[in-house]
């Protein structure tokens, strides 16, 4: 069973930092692009940051300069370093990964989400 396991969420004060991790496990032949999305109550799920297998990154305007996405291809893991956190960053953060799991099987997978709460 292929799955994405997320960790690192929690409660932090404004201006603080958190680092999220997401590891893909199971029968995986290749991990393509990976990314982080977030969804606040009553809002749509939006892209926060993405990274290709080759390391090309993309960020939402709201997090540029504060968040950094990175990956370890050998571990099939993607990270999101979040600095200078603001209350508006509060959301459930979801990992996404483009995975090859068979000769003709390639699709995106979602993690179950991890809560990030920024408040004093």
């Amino acid at each position: 069973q292929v799955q994405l396991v997320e960790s690192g969420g929690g409660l932090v004060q404004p201006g603080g930092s958190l680092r999220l991790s997401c590891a893909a496990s199971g029968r995986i032949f290749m991990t393509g692009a990976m990314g982080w999305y977030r969804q606040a109550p009553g809002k749509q799920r939006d892209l926060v940051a993405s990274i290709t297998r080759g390391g090309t990154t993309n960020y939402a305007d709201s997090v540029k300069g504060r968040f950094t996405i990175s990956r370890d291809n050998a571990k099939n893991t993607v990270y999101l370093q979040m600095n200078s956190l603001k209350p508006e960053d509060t959301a459930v953060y979801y990992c996404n990964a483009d995975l090859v799991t068979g000769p003709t099987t390639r699709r995106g997978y979602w993690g179950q989400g991890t809560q990030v709460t920024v408040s004093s």
Side-chain angles (χ1 to χ4, degrees), residues 79-93:
Y79 307 92
L80 185 68
Q81 178 66 47
M82 304 185 293
N83 299 326
S84 302
L85 283 162
K86 304 175 180 179
E88 50 262 46
D89 295 318
T90 296
V92 177
Y93 284 69

Side-chain angles (χ1 to χ4, degrees), residues 36-114:
W36 290 95
Y37 295 71
R38 68 186 182 188
Q39 187 169 24
K43 297 186 179 296
Q44 294 184 341
R45 185 177 298 185
D46 294 324
L47 176 70
V48 177
S50 64
I51 184 168
T52 68
R53 183 173 181 83
T56 301
T57 59
N58 184 58
Y59 297 92
D61 288 341
S62 59
V63 307
K64 286 182 178 178
R66 300 188 298 120
F67 292 9
T68 302
I69 189 170
S70 61
R71 65 187 293 163
D72 185 336
N73 289 336
K75 297 180 179 179
N76 293 326
T77 299
V78 63
Y79 307 92
L80 185 68
Q81 178 66 47
M82 304 185 293
N83 299 326
S84 302
L85 283 162
K86 304 175 180 179
E88 50 262 46
D89 295 318
T90 296
V92 177
Y93 284 69
Y94 296 90
C95 175
N96 178 269
D98 178 27
L99 303 178
V100 176
T101 60
T104 61
T105 306
R106 179 171 184 167
R107 71 171 181 87
Y109 289 78
W110 288 98
Q112 291 301 119
T114 184

